[in-house]
Amino acid sequence: MIVKALKIPVRYQGVTHPAGQVFEMEEAHFNGKIVIEVTAEEEEGMAKYVKQRETIAQTPTEEETDYTTYSETELKKVKNDDLKGFLDSRGVEYKTDAIKEDYINAILGK
């Protein structure tokens, strides 16, 4: 189904959609508190987005770095956003106020 993000950005399938952006969402994931289903007119405007998304999907991406093979010293040199992204991709939870040491400990299983 085609939806539009309401008042806040919506993160869906690894992509953050700003408020007002139209995007595709599986019906099972629909939440009327954060998105609305768009009309046929708005759906026509979606064609550009779909084409862009297909192009991105066909573009080869870098392999994800396996930070579990890194030492603590090496992990200290990695950006926090990269560490958080790695943890997110593995479904590892961490506190919203976590610091680099917390991310490193989570990766190293401490």
Side-chain angles (χ1 to χ4, degrees), residues 3-6 10 15-23 38 49 52:
V3 298
K4 183 196 284 188
L6 291 174
V10 175
V15 178
T16 301
H17 303 279
Q21 186 177 50
V22 176
F23 61 98
V38 299
Y49 169 77
Q52 179 185 30

Side-chain angles (χ1 to χ4, degrees), residues 15-32:
V15 178
T16 301
H17 303 279
Q21 186 177 50
V22 176
F23 61 98
E24 190 173 8
M25 174 182 277
E26 291 180 35
E27 194 168 339
H29 298 145
F30 180 80
N31 179 337

Side-chain angles (χ1 to χ4, degrees), residues 1-80:
M1 72 188 313
I2 307 300
V3 298
K4 183 196 284 188
L6 291 174
K7 297 179 181 181
I8 60 171
V10 175
R11 185 149 176 89
Y12 182 70
Q13 293 187 337
V15 178
T16 301
H17 303 279
Q21 186 177 50
V22 176
F23 61 98
E24 190 173 8
M25 174 182 277
E26 291 180 35
E27 194 168 339
H29 298 145
F30 180 80
N31 179 337
K33 294 180 181 179
I34 59 172
V35 295
I36 58 169
E37 190 169 4
V38 299
T39 63
E41 293 82 33
E42 290 174 307
E43 193 169 341
E44 287 177 19
M46 183 66 184
K48 180 179 178 184
Y49 169 77
V50 170
K51 184 173 182 170
Q52 179 185 30
R53 184 169 177 162
E54 288 172 354
T55 302
I56 291 169
Q58 294 171 358
T59 305
T61 58
E62 289 184 29
E63 267 188 48
E64 182 183 85
T65 303
D66 183 2
Y67 290 121
T68 60
T69 63
Y70 280 41
S71 69
E72 187 170 349
T73 303
E74 291 171 318
L75 289 171
K76 287 180 180 179
K77 297 176 186 175
V78 177
K79 293 180 183 177
N80 282 0

